[in-house]
Structure formats: C-alpha cells, structure tokens
Amino acid sequence: MKKLLILGAGEMQLPIIEKAKSLGVYTIVADMNASAVGMQYADRALVVSTMDLDMLKQYALELDIDGILTTSDAPVNIVASISEEFGLPAMSSNVASICTNKYLQRKLFRENQILTPSFYLCNQSTELSSFCDFPYVVKPVDSSASRGVQLVNGMEELRKAFENAMLYSRHHQVLIEDFIVGREFSVETFTQNNETSIVAITEKMVIGEKQGYFVEDTHIEPARISEQEYKLIADTVLNAIKLIGLDNCPSHTEVKLNDTGAYIIEIACRLGGDYITSDLVPLSTGVDMLGNLINCSLGMPIDIVHKYHKCSAIQFLNTLNYERCVNFVKSSYSLAVVRYDIKPYSDAVIMSSLDRLGYIILQTDTMGKMEEILRMIK
C-alpha cells in the first residue's frame, strides 16, 4: 500500500484526505491542531506544524513515505524540500519559492515580457508619500485567500491598508501595485514529466471592490469566453508556467483579461481552492483533479481527458443574497444543487473568503440554465 503524507487537516484539506482513503492509499496527515477535522480520517495523524521542516523530514524518513502533497499555499515549500531530499515527485524548491512569493513572480514576469501589473516592493521603512497615482492594490507578498489585500484610492486608505497587509506577511514585505481593470478568470492545469495540460478555465466574479476588497463571490465553468480569448489566456498561462519551470504538480493561475491582453495576477503550484478543483472541474469535465494530484504525487500517470461537457458553478452567500439563496435550496430548482453549506447569518463586512456565509454548488446541462439560476440567487 502506498503511503502519502498530506500537510494540513482543515476543512479545505478534507476532500483530498477522503479521496486518498477511497483510492486505498495509506494516509498520513499532519496538522498542529489535533482537533482538525481531517485528523479523524487519517490512517496516521501527526500533531505537528505543517511548517516544521525538520520534524516532518524525520517522520517522512521513519514512515518511509511514497509521496507528499498539500492543497494549501504555505506548506508548498515544505513539500518541495522533502520531495527533493527523498527523491519524490513534486515541484522543485525554486518553483515553490517563486509560487509562494508574489514579488518573485512579478519580477520574473516583468523581466520576460509577460503581462503583469506594475509593482513596488515595500517594507516598514518605505516612504508611502511617494505614491500618488491612485488607485493601487496593496497586498502581502506571501499570503492567500485575499487576506490583507485591498484596493485603495487615497493616502489615508493606503496607510491603513499597508499596515494591515504587513500583518499578514511572514517576510514583512508588501506589494503596492497598479490596479488592472478587466474580467477575472482562473486556469487549472497539471504538469507531469514537463508536459502541461489546461484542464479548465473558470470565470470569476468578486464582491467588495467599492469597499476596497476582492472576495470571490461566483465561479462558473466553463468560462464564457470566445475561442480567441481562450487562446490568449491559454498561451499566456502556458508561457508563464514554462518560464517558472513547473513540473510534477498542478497549478492555479489567476488572470485578468482586458483590451490590452491577459495579465497574470498570480500563479500557485497547487490545486485551485474555493471548491474549484474539488467540485467544479469534476462536475463540468469529469476530470478527477484530487485523484490526479494523488497520482502525480505518487509518480503515477494522471488522466486529464474530459469525460463530458457540462456546466458547474458555485455561488457564495453574502449579506445581500443570503435570503434568496436559503429560499432557493428549498425550491424546485434545487434539483441543480449538488450540495450546499449555509452558515448562520451575520452582517459583518466580507473582507476575505473566510468571512463568507456559505455556498451553493450547482451543475446544469446548459449554460442558459445555469445563467437563469444565477440570476435568481445573485
């Protein structure tokens, strides 16, 4: 039986743990929280921080693992380091460093003529008064889930956003970058043996921009784009992946598209979160992204051939649509609902994905039907 070390046992890691169990893989799950939901599903639960490289290396040696993976950003560097030391398939340490540091990505893309927002690397000593060409986007160089990310339109907002972003940066560095106007997408890929395949392009909508936040509110697959737009996005992302040197791992790339081109906002060398790869990609294409990640991490062939062509979406609950969404899941239209999670109502401002009030995952045979449902609940 293959032994797989999974870093992280929270709610977002539970699907990969359950998938590994269903495939007959011996699952070793590490999390510093002994009560994390995924720990109870593990064949072996390790109460250790997913960032404790020395301890995890010791466990990897003692337990003679066949592979290691994570679905979170922070432990990616740990996965790469252990994989390199034990000869396991995963991204390299250099790739992991680039994909977990927004500054390194921006610098690499700018030097190689890949469209990306203009940016400025800042620390606590940066003189903010020199920034006057608003609006800007302020973000930590090494955070995720929109934590610490804010759009600012004036100096007072900039100073407050800067201090907030600094709180979320492990390296105590912040990017101040130009705001790119455009439609938003994410691109899900797998690279194995230096061959990259685009599995899906997801259309994304956000809420909170007027308040300065970028919280993803709706994801739709397949993205409603033309063949020309698909080719532009695909070519840009594939060039960026080749430039970084990704291999033996998935990637999740965020893109903004406007009349001047496709801008790379960020590339992560992991599966896309927010239920994109655990739910939406399988529902729209039949491709098992979680199973592929497990196989890839164990050095086994992946299967990214589309089994069918359907439509899927996730609508997150917020203060404006909460009542409509609750009523919807009780209606006859709920036949399109794959699953949902509704949290108690709160009128708190949604500043990151952690503040959302639940979700509804949908699947339909046609985009017209999907659009009809989304109009009802958005």
Side-chain angles (χ1 to χ4, degrees), residues 41-56:
Y41 293 88
D43 292 302
R44 176 75 180 271
L46 307 176
V47 182
V48 56
S49 169
T50 58
M51 302 301 290
D52 189 338
L53 177 58
D54 292 337
M55 199 67 204
L56 289 168

Side-chain angles (χ1 to χ4, degrees), residues 15 42 44 68 82 104 130 177 248 256 299 310 343 345 351 358:
R44 176 75 180 271
I68 179 173
I82 291 177
L104 295 180
S130 62
E177 57 186 43
N248 296 318
K256 272 198 168 182
K310 295 189 177 184
K343 298 178 181 179
Y345 180 81
M351 296 185 291

Side-chain angles (χ1 to χ4, degrees), residues 218-279:
T218 313
H219 299 156
I220 303 172
E221 287 186 15
R224 295 170 294 180
I225 51 178
S226 67
E227 290 183 13
Q228 182 179 3
E229 289 171 330
Y230 181 98
K231 185 177 188 306
L232 176 59
I233 294 172
D235 288 348
T236 302
V237 170
L238 291 174
N239 287 338
I241 287 173
K242 184 176 181 180
L243 176 64
I244 293 174
L246 269 78
D247 195 18
N248 296 318
C249 66
S251 71
H252 171 75
T253 304
E254 296 177 358
V255 177
K256 272 198 168 182
L257 183 68
N258 61 30
D259 292 341
T260 60
Y263 288 75
I264 301 288
I265 304 301
E266 184 177 343
I267 292 183
C269 52
R270 56 159 174 80
L271 291 178
D274 272 350
Y275 308 98
I276 292 175
T277 44
S278 61
D279 291 83

Side-chain angles (χ1 to χ4, degrees), residues 158-212:
L158 174 59
R159 294 187 187 282
K160 291 180 179 179
F162 183 86
E163 292 302 321
N164 184 54
M166 194 65 73
L167 296 174
Y168 289 97
S169 175
R170 296 184 301 276
H171 291 88
H172 306 293
Q173 293 179 318
V174 168
L175 285 183
I176 298 177
E177 57 186 43
D178 290 351
F179 175 59
I180 302 298
V181 176
R183 292 178 289 159
E184 297 191 26
F185 304 92
S186 71
V187 183
E188 317 307 325
T189 75
F190 258 105
T191 306
Q192 188 176 52
N193 301 323
N194 291 308
E195 291 189 10
T196 299
S197 299
I198 291 177
V199 182
I201 297 181
T202 307
E203 182 177 349
K204 313 181 91 167
M205 302 172 195
V206 302
I207 59 172
E209 279 194 24
K210 290 184 178 179
Q211 293 76 36

